[in-house]
Amino acid sequence: MSLLQEETSGEAVAAVRKRPALRRALYEILLVALLFTAYKIGRLAADGHVGEALANAQNVWNLERLLHLPSEYGLQQAIVGHGWLIKAANCYYAYVHFPATAAALIWLYVRRPERYVATRRLLAWLTASALVVHLLFPLAPPRMLASVGMLDTGRLFGPAVYGSPSTDTLTNQYAAMPSLHVGWALAVAIALIGATRGRWRWLWSAHPLITLMVVVATGNHYWLDAIVVAALLGLVAWVLSGGAVTALGASQPSIPKPRVGES
């Protein structure tokens, strides 16, 4: 076989090998796109419960005070006087959530495919579970509680993510609990910490911590929204890891085998 024939044959083999990889990549892109679409559609499906959402908001606020959780109002007031800081928080809320999640998934797909599948599955089921809570428990965000002094920092200082709730047809603004901003950030950080090496890998935990401070300071979520999504993430991870199956199997009494000679 000539050198030219060998090179042509090698290129053909490489092209054949690339096809399954390309199909897998397109398949994963489609799955992630469906995940983001479900996130949007599910939030829209939960819309139309303004009165219930506002009543739930007041109840959540009162419950947090009863539990002596830090005040969202106090955190917001601590930074609202610093124009650059509140704008930075608004930008983080508006521009980091989706791109950071997408970038992490792409990196995991390319560099740690075994962890990518687990992370994608975790995010998908976490989102589905959260949408069920959104449907069952509509909740207005703190920025709508003008009676307690909370501000809509996005509308006042920019950039604004949401329009007026009465005219916004793209998003459901009454789906504060649980916070998928915090949930996705926490899932991404856990995945990246597990996929990287060295002591610097713990810096990934800054993402969910900053996200938590941002969503509360901007008036988009309560502390309880983050607590609930962390618990939900743990539950989903436990179920996906086979914990539920193991627990059910352990609850079944074992039937002893008959001894030799026994009927």
Side-chain angles (χ1 to χ4, degrees):
M1 182 182 293
S2 67
L3 180 61
L4 179 59
Q5 288 176 321
E6 290 180 358
E7 290 179 351
T8 304
S9 176
E11 291 175 356
V13 171
V16 170
R17 289 177 178 175
K18 286 180 180 179
R19 287 172 187 169
L22 179 60
R23 284 198 295 267
R24 286 196 302 271
L26 292 175
Y27 172 75
E28 293 299 337
I29 290 173
L30 177 61
L31 284 179
V32 173
L34 289 175
L35 173 63
F36 283 96
T37 302
Y39 174 82
K40 289 294 184 182
I41 294 176
R43 288 174 68 91
L44 285 173
D47 206 355
H49 304 276
V50 178
E52 183 182 358
L54 290 172
N56 287 337
Q58 192 62 58
N59 292 333
V60 167
W61 183 272
N62 294 337
L63 176 60
E64 286 190 336
R65 307 294 76 80
L66 183 65
L67 296 174
H68 302 289
L69 291 178
S71 171
E72 291 87 351
Y73 174 79
L75 177 61
Q76 188 178 77
Q77 288 300 304
I79 70 170
V80 76
H82 306 280
W84 68 271
L85 189 55
I86 195 64
K87 287 182 180 179
N90 289 337
C91 288
Y92 199 94
Y93 181 83
Y95 303 133
V96 175
H97 176 50
F98 286 112
T101 305
L105 287 174
I106 292 171
W107 186 87
L108 289 170
Y109 179 79
V110 174
R111 301 297 298 273
R112 300 288 188 274
E114 71 286 353
R115 291 188 178 272
Y116 164 80
V117 174
T119 303
R120 184 251 292 158
R121 187 180 296 122
L122 178 62
L123 287 172
W125 283 106
L126 173 65
T127 302
S129 303
L131 293 179
V132 172
V133 179
H134 292 165
L135 290 168
L136 297 177
F137 190 74
L139 179 65
R143 57 186 166 81
M144 294 186 184
L145 288 178
S147 60
V148 300
M150 292 296 295
L151 303 174
D152 186 343
T153 62
R155 181 177 59 83
L156 292 174
F157 304 98
V161 176
Y162 309 108
S164 171
S166 59
T167 59
D168 185 1
T169 59
L170 296 177
T171 56
N172 172 27
Q173 298 189 42
Y174 303 102
M177 180 180 290
S179 170
L180 282 176
H181 270 74
V182 175
W184 284 16
L186 187 58
V188 163
I190 292 173
L192 292 177
I193 289 172
T196 51
R197 296 290 179 267
R199 59 183 179 180
W200 296 107
R201 72 185 188 278
W202 296 104
L203 289 177
W204 294 119
S205 61
H207 178 42
L209 291 176
I210 294 173
T211 300
L212 173 60
M213 294 297 106
V214 162
V215 299
V216 173
T218 56
N220 285 291
H221 286 286
Y222 306 87
W223 298 111
L224 276 177
D225 297 341
I227 294 173
V228 169
V229 84
L232 191 59
L233 178 65
L235 177 62
V236 170
W238 178 70
V239 171
L240 292 178
S241 68
V245 175
T246 302
L248 288 174
S251 65
Q252 299 296 326
S254 59
I255 301 175
K257 295 181 180 180
R259 298 177 181 178
V260 178
E262 293 181 350
S263 58

